[in-house]
Amino acid sequence: MALTADPATEANSAAANLIEATVTPKRRGTLLVVDDEDGARQSLRMVFKDDYDLLMAEDGPTAIKLAQDHPIDVAVLDIRMAGMSGIEVLERLRYVNPDIEAIMITAYETTDTIRQALRLRASDYINKPFEIATIRAAVSQAMQRRTLESEIHSSAEKIQQLLAELQNQRIEEQIAKTRGDIYASIIHDINGPLTVICGFVQVLNRRFNQASRLDVADLEFIRERLNIIRRQTSNCIEISRRYLGFLRRQKDETARVGVNQMLNDLNQLVRVHPSLQDNDFGIQLLAEDIGVKINGTDLIQILLNLAVNGFQCAPFSHRVDISGEVLQEPLRLQAFKDSPQDRLLNVEGFNNSAPLVKLRVRDDGPGIPPEVLPKIFQPYFTTKGPRQGTGLGLNIVQRLIKEGNGALHIHTHVGEGTTFTIYLPGAKLAK
Ligand SMILES: Nc1ncnc2c1ncn2[C@@H]1O[C@H](COP(=O)(O)OP(=O)(O)OP(=O)(O)O)[C@@H](O)[C@H]1O
Ligand SMILES: [Mg+2]
C-alpha cells in the first residue's frame, strides 16, 4: 500500500503537538513528525502510534519547541513545507539536540537540497509517495542507531566514572607513599644536625666531668658549644616543620634570603659536620650578594646534602668546594646535552629568567660511573654499605630544587670527580 499525502480520516489539528504518553517501564523511542499537511501527519500517526511515543508538528517553530521540551530520538521531516522548509527545521533542531536522527521526506528535490540535508547529517531520504514498509524500516533503523549511541554514551560515562575512581585511588596511594617518603626525609635530614648536637653534648660532658670548678675559659668554651647546639636544634625543628608543612600541602612563603648569609651558615655547619673528617673544604661567597627565591633552610639542606655526599664519596682524603656566581642572562638550555657524564634535571619546572643564582658543589673524588648515574636520584638508591646511607639525600635535593623552580646539572668524570650545579631564580634583597 502506498501512503500519500492525502488527508486521513482522523483529521484533528489540535493534535499537532500532542505526545502519546504510554507509560512503559523502558522508555520507548520518541518520534517527531514534522509535516504541514494534516493528512500526511495523521497517516504517519497511524503507522507509528503503537511503536513509539509520537510528537506531531505542523510547522517548524512547533517542532523546535517540542524538541526543546522533550528528548527526541528520530525526526521525520517533510522538506517542502510552507514557511520554514524541512532543511531549515533540521538546521535549527541540530542546535537543540545535535544527536537527533533525521529522515527527510522528499518530492522532486534538487540535488542542492539533498546536499544541504547531507551536510546537516540527515540519515535517510524517502521519496513521496512511499511504501509503509520503507518508512517503517527507515525509522526502525534510525531508532536502533539512537539506542546504540545512547548505550555507547552511557558506557563511556561509566568508563569515565571508573577512571575517575581509579585516579582518586591512585592519588590516595600517592599521598600515603609521599607521607612515608616525607617521614623518611625528616629522619634523613635531621640526622646530620642531631649527630652534631650529640657530639657537642659529649664534649661538654667530658669538660664538666674533668673540671672541679669552671674558669672563664671554660665558660667561654661552653657558651660557644651551646650556641652551636642551639643553632642545630632550631635547624632540626625547622626541617621537620618544613616537611610536615609540605605534607599538609602548605606552600611556604618564599623567603628572600641573602645567598652569602646562607653560605656563611652552611660553612659553620660543614666545619663541625662529622663527615668532614680530614677532607679539605672551601667555600667562596658571591662577589655581590643577591637574594634567592627559595626557603633558606631548603637551600642549606640542598648544599649540605651535596657537600656531605662529596665528603663521603671516597675513603681517601680529598677536596670539596662550594662556589657561587650570579648570571645576568637566562640559561641556554639547548647547550646542555645529557650524556653518560652529564645530566640536567627539572627543565620543565625551571623558572629560567635572569638573574639566576648558580651554586656549584665540586669534589675531586672518584666520580660516578655511567651505569650508576641514571639511578642516583631514585629514592633509596645508595652505593654505600648497609646502615651507612639511606639513598634519600639526592632525592630530597631534587625535590627541594623542583619546589624552588630551580634546575640541577651534574657533570661527573670517573677518576676526576663530580660537580653538582644548582640554578635558582634570584631576587632582589629585601632591605
Ligand atoms: N659526589 C658524589 N660522588 C660520587 N658518587 C656520588 C656523589 N654523590 C652521590 N653519589 C652517588 O649517589 C648515590 C645516592 O646519593 P644519595 O645522597 O641519594 O644517597 P646516599 O648518599 O647514598 O645516602 P644518604 O644521603 O642517606 O647518606 C650515592 O650512594 C653515590 O653512589
Ligand atoms: Mg647522600
Side-chain angles (χ1 to χ4, degrees):
M1 167 185 145
L3 258 187
T4 63
D6 293 335
T9 42
E10 270 190 320
N12 183 358
S13 65
N17 49 9
L18 164 96
I19 179 159
E20 309 252 357
T22 0
V23 184
T24 47
K26 195 168 178 248
R27 191 176 78 84
R28 300 203 299 177
T30 302
L31 176 67
L32 170 70
V33 174
V34 192
D35 201 315
D36 59 347
E37 283 179 50
D38 194 39
R41 272 201 316 278
Q42 298 317 325
S43 306
L44 288 172
R45 168 196 291 280
M46 291 306 292
V47 174
F48 291 114
K49 72 177 171 34
D50 295 331
D51 301 321
Y52 309 114
D53 290 338
L54 287 181
L55 292 163
M56 314 299 276
E58 58 189 348
D59 54 28
T62 313
I64 289 147
K65 178 83 181 64
L66 283 172
Q68 282 165 343
D69 296 343
H70 305 277
I72 291 168
D73 297 297
V74 179
V76 174
L77 300 137
D78 190 13
I79 289 192
R80 192 164 293 188
M81 286 192 291
M84 208 185 278
S85 79
I87 297 285
E88 285 171 281
V89 180
L90 178 57
E91 192 159 23
R92 305 220 181 153
L93 280 180
R94 284 269 171 259
Y95 284 111
V96 183
N97 180 348
D99 301 324
I100 291 179
E101 292 279 332
I103 298 166
M104 311 306 286
I105 308 283
T106 64
Y108 324 109
E109 253 62 49
T110 61
T111 46
D112 199 41
T113 318
I114 306 286
R115 207 173 294 132
Q116 269 179 294
L118 259 176
R119 185 177 54 79
L120 291 166
R121 291 182 288 113
S123 49
D124 226 330
Y125 320 91
I126 295 177
N127 283 315
K128 274 183 187 173
F130 46 78
E131 297 282 337
I132 291 184
T134 312
I135 186 118
R136 263 193 196 286
V139 172
S140 158
Q141 275 172 17
M143 284 289 177
Q144 276 171 23
R145 270 198 299 274
R146 280 290 293 150
T147 319
L148 244 168
E149 257 168 36
S150 67
E151 269 168 17
I152 290 171
H153 192 75
S154 78
S155 302
E157 263 176 12
K158 274 189 202 132
I159 289 172
Q160 208 57 40
Q161 260 176 8
L162 263 169
L163 278 177
E165 269 167 35
L166 255 172
Q167 182 70 13
N168 277 346
Q169 213 158 330
R170 236 180 263 151
I171 289 171
E172 269 171 29
E173 268 169 25
Q174 194 63 38
I175 290 173
K177 192 166 165 279
T178 315
R179 196 179 292 270
D181 285 350
I182 284 174
Y183 290 142
S185 305
I186 297 175
I187 293 164
H188 177 275
D189 277 3
I190 63 176
N191 203 33
L194 277 180
T195 318
V196 177
I197 293 170
C198 207
F200 278 96
V201 170
Q202 277 170 10
V203 170
L204 287 178
N205 214 5
R206 235 175 287 136
R207 192 80 169 210
F208 277 122
N209 285 341
Q210 282 162 4
S212 48
R213 51 190 291 274
L214 301 171
D215 56 27
V216 179
D218 286 328
L219 285 176
E220 185 56 23
F221 177 89
I222 292 166
R223 207 174 51 78
E224 269 176 25
R225 266 70 192 168
L226 279 178
N227 247 339
I228 297 173
I229 292 175
R230 189 181 46 75
R231 270 192 108 97
Q232 297 293 344
T233 314
S234 41
N235 232 332
C236 289
I237 296 167
E238 175 71 355
I239 289 166
S240 36
R241 199 183 59 76
R242 282 274 304 141
Y243 278 119
L244 295 174
F246 176 79
L247 206 57
R248 287 194 298 269
R249 290 164 184 271
Q250 289 172 353
K251 236 186 143 70
D252 250 27
E253 278 296 292
T254 356
R256 297 183 169 190
V257 213
V259 173
N260 280 345
Q261 165 69 50
M262 282 186 285
L263 291 178
N264 275 323
D265 287 355
L266 176 73
N267 191 20
Q268 284 197 15
L269 254 172
V270 173
R271 297 282 168 205
V272 294
H273 202 280
S275 67
L276 176 65
Q277 299 196 342
D278 55 354
N279 295 309
D280 289 327
F281 175 64
I283 197 158
Q284 182 212 315
L285 304 187
L286 299 179
E288 198 176 328
D289 203 6
I290 186 173
V292 69
K293 291 179 190 166
I294 190 170
N295 178 287
T297 317
D298 285 0
L299 183 56
I300 292 178
Q301 283 314 115
I302 292 168
L303 294 171
L304 187 62
N305 265 305
L306 294 176
V308 169
N309 277 352
F311 294 132
Q312 292 176 340
C313 70
F316 50 85
S317 162
H318 59 287
R319 198 176 164 80
V320 174
D321 279 291
I322 297 184
S323 60
E325 66 181 287
V326 178
L327 307 180
Q328 297 299 352
E329 299 279 326
L331 282 191
R332 278 189 53 247
L333 291 172
Q334 59 277 26
F336 290 82
K337 295 265 178 291
D338 279 358
S339 77
Q341 297 177 322
D342 291 87
R343 282 274 139 124
L344 182 65
L345 280 96
N346 197 37
V347 181
E348 315 79 49
F350 179 37
N351 174 4
N352 187 14
S353 42
L356 287 169
V357 178
K358 173 177 172 181
L359 294 162
R360 185 182 282 178
V361 182
R362 181 177 191 287
D363 68 69
D364 57 358
I368 303 171
E371 68 278 11
V372 174
L373 187 63
K375 301 183 197 156
I376 60 172
F377 288 95
Q378 291 170 5
Y380 307 105
F381 174 82
T382 180
T383 54
K384 294 169 187 167
R387 301 174 63 85
Q388 285 182 352
T390 63
L392 279 174
L394 286 180
N395 188 254
I396 294 169
V397 165
Q398 185 185 10
R399 192 169 64 220
L400 294 179
I401 290 178
K402 195 170 169 191
E403 270 185 59
N405 300 113
L408 173 63
H409 181 254
I410 309 141
H411 174 72
T412 187
H413 203 290
V414 174
E416 287 181 16
T418 306
T419 305
F420 286 83
T421 312
I422 303 155
Y423 298 93
L424 288 164
K428 263 197 190 138
L429 264 182
K431 290 264 151 57

